[in-house]
Structure formats: C-alpha cells, structure tokens
C-alpha cells in the first residue's frame, strides 16, 4: 500500500517590533501560500536586548526560517542600544553558523515608516513624517501606525510593494544576508551576514530579502 505523500509546511516566523509591521505582515500573509507566524515584541522597555531575550525563549517551532525585523533608529541612542544591536546580530550569526533555522536580520533604516513611504509612487525621499501627513493624508505618523489595513492601503492603485522593492534594489546595505534558497526541498541556508556601519546615516532596508524568500 502506498503511503500518502507527506506535505511539507512552508512555515516562517516573523519577529517584529511595531504595530505598522505587524498589521502589514498580518494582512500580507493572507495573500501568500505560506504559513507565517507573527511574534510582535514590545521594545519600548528594553530595546534590542529585550528583542533578543524574547527570541531566545522561542523554540524552533518546526519553521524553515525566522525573520527578525527591527528599526535602525535606536542604534544611535546610546552605547547600550548599539551593544544590544550587536548582540542581536551576533546571535543571528551564531544560529546560522550552527545550521539551525535560518535567522534573517532585517533592518529598516531609520524605520518601517520609511519603507511604507517607498510604496508610494509620489515619494521622492522627503521627510517621512511630513510626507505621511501632507501627501498620505494622515494626521500624524501615529495614525498611520494604527491603520490595521495598512497593507491594502499601501498596495492600491499605482502604489505597491513592487515600487518599494525596485527602489531598494542594489547599492550598499547597512545589513545584508547572503543566502541560498533551495525551493524544491524547502531548504534555506544563510552563509553570512554583513554589516556596514558607514551606511547607518543612509536610509535603506534589506526587507527585499523577506519578500524574496517567502515568494514560493
């Protein structure tokens, strides 16, 4: 008797720090043929160190990759925050060296609100807070963060994540993961994670890695 073919689950875990990221990915996963488990983390009390402490408590959960999505704006808020970020980076590198579930460190610089603006075709690099209020029609940045259907909002009309990805394509990155995706076997390997602190003053993100990996 032939055994039924075992169906491999394409499960990803996403650790994110803000409401905007949570709402965006929560809606996004409904449009993807993959399973994404969201783990929101409140960083207000402990910064990057708190983020790391939470991740350490989570088991592998039978996932094929983990994404740690953080903003870069805290790094320059004192020595303790930079040390916390470096510890988070080292932890991800250590997990990848052990061939555990791949840990993708995704850094939005300065924040996810900048990435949100990149979805909008009229955005030309101006101050994000001003653009969000004057061009996107929100009373404040905090109102954008509270918008539960932010994914649909940013991906409507002529706007969309494709525009954002095109704008992020190429150039130097503050953080970059070097990885291999073997889609037939659902196997992902990160061979290295580079960091360039000289890019910290330049806006950017490596969130395109997230879109690339989950695009099954």
């Amino acid at each position: 008797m032939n055994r039924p073919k075992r169906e491999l689950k394409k499960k990803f875990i996403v650790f994110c720090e803000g409401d905007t990221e949570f709402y965006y990915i929560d809606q996004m996963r409904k449009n993807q043929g993959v399973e994404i488990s969201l783990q929101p983390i409140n960083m207000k009390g402990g910064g990057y160190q708190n983020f790391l402490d939470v991740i350490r408590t989570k088991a592998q959960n039978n996932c094929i990759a983990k994404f740690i999505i953080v903003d870069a704006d805290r790094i320059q808020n004192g020595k303790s925050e930079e040390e916390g970020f470096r510890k988070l980076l080292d932890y991800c590198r250590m997990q990848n060296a052990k061939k555990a579930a791949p840990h993708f460190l995704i850094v939005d610089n300065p924040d996810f609100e900048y990435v949100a603006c990149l979805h909008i075709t009229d955005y030309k690099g101006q101050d994000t807070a001003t653009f969000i209020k004057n061009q996107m029609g929100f009373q404040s940045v905090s109102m954008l963060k509270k918008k539960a259907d932010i994914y649909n909002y940013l991906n409507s009309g002529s706007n969309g994540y494709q525009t954002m990805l095109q704008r992020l394509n190429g150039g130097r990155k503050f953080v970059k993961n070097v990885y291999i995706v073997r889609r037939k076997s659902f196997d992902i390997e990160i061979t290295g994670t580079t960091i360039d602190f000289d890019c910290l003053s330049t806006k950017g993100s490596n969130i395109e890695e997230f879109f690339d990996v989950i695009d099954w």
Side-chain angles (χ1 to χ4, degrees), residues 7-133:
E7 182 178 350
L8 296 175
K9 281 193 173 183
K10 296 170 284 190
K11 179 180 179 181
F12 302 95
I13 297 178
V14 178
F15 296 93
C16 57
E17 64 168 287
D19 292 338
T20 323
E21 296 95 317
F22 177 86
Y23 289 140
Y24 186 98
I25 298 172
D26 187 40
Q27 272 195 315
M28 176 185 181
R29 63 179 172 176
K30 298 173 183 177
N31 299 322
Q32 298 286 334
V34 297
E35 181 181 350
I36 299 176
S37 175
L38 276 169
Q39 303 284 337
I41 299 175
N42 186 340
M43 287 178 62
K44 294 179 180 178
Y48 298 110
Q49 182 63 53
N50 182 59
F51 210 101
L52 176 57
D53 292 342
V54 173
I55 295 172
R56 281 174 169 162
T57 66
K58 302 296 182 181
Q60 296 304 311
N61 297 316
N62 198 31
C63 67
I64 59 176
K66 294 184 178 183
F67 293 90
I68 296 90
I69 303 178
V70 298
D71 293 340
D73 55 1
R74 289 175 173 266
I75 297 175
Q76 301 184 68
N77 289 348
K79 187 176 180 180
S80 62
E81 285 288 19
E82 182 179 335
E83 289 177 350
F85 176 80
R86 288 184 182 275
K87 288 179 181 178
L88 179 61
L89 171 67
D90 289 343
Y91 177 79
C92 292
R93 283 173 167 169
M94 180 179 64
Q95 296 303 308
N96 295 329
K98 294 193 317 186
K99 306 300 182 183
H103 283 53
F104 283 84
L105 181 59
I106 305 295
V107 182
D108 298 325
N109 186 18
D111 49 37
F112 187 78
E113 285 66 50
Y114 168 68
V115 173
C117 288
L118 291 177
H119 287 66
I120 311 301
T121 55
D122 291 338
Y123 182 67
K124 306 300 181 184
Q126 54 266 58
D127 176 73
T128 55
T130 303
F131 184 81
I132 287 170
K133 288 188 289 185

Side-chain angles (χ1 to χ4, degrees), residues 115-213:
V115 173
C117 288
L118 291 177
H119 287 66
I120 311 301
T121 55
D122 291 338
Y123 182 67
K124 306 300 181 184
Q126 54 266 58
D127 176 73
T128 55
T130 303
F131 184 81
I132 287 170
K133 288 188 289 185
N134 294 346
Q135 272 68 44
M136 295 175 68
F138 291 91
Q139 292 181 342
S140 64
V141 174
S142 61
M143 294 302 295
L144 171 70
K145 293 181 178 181
K146 295 177 182 178
K147 190 170 181 60
D149 62 340
I150 187 65
Y151 178 82
N152 289 337
Y153 173 81
L154 294 175
N155 289 277
S156 59
S158 61
N159 306 317
Y161 70 89
Q162 296 93 341
T163 299
M164 178 266 293
L165 294 177
Q166 288 174 2
R167 287 170 165 172
L168 290 175
N169 186 37
R172 293 167 59 188
K173 299 283 184 179
F174 174 54
V175 171
K176 181 178 180 180
N177 296 289
V178 181
Y179 59 93
I180 302 169
V181 178
R182 304 176 182 93
R183 300 187 186 276
K184 289 185 178 180
S185 59
F186 298 166
D187 180 47
I188 303 169
E189 179 184 358
I190 297 178
T191 59
T193 300
T194 63
I195 185 166
D196 185 355
F197 269 89
D198 290 338
C199 287
L200 191 56
S201 60
T202 304
K203 293 180 179 179
S205 175
N206 63 321
I207 199 170
E208 72 275 5
E209 298 172 7
F210 172 64
F211 282 82
D212 176 51
V213 171

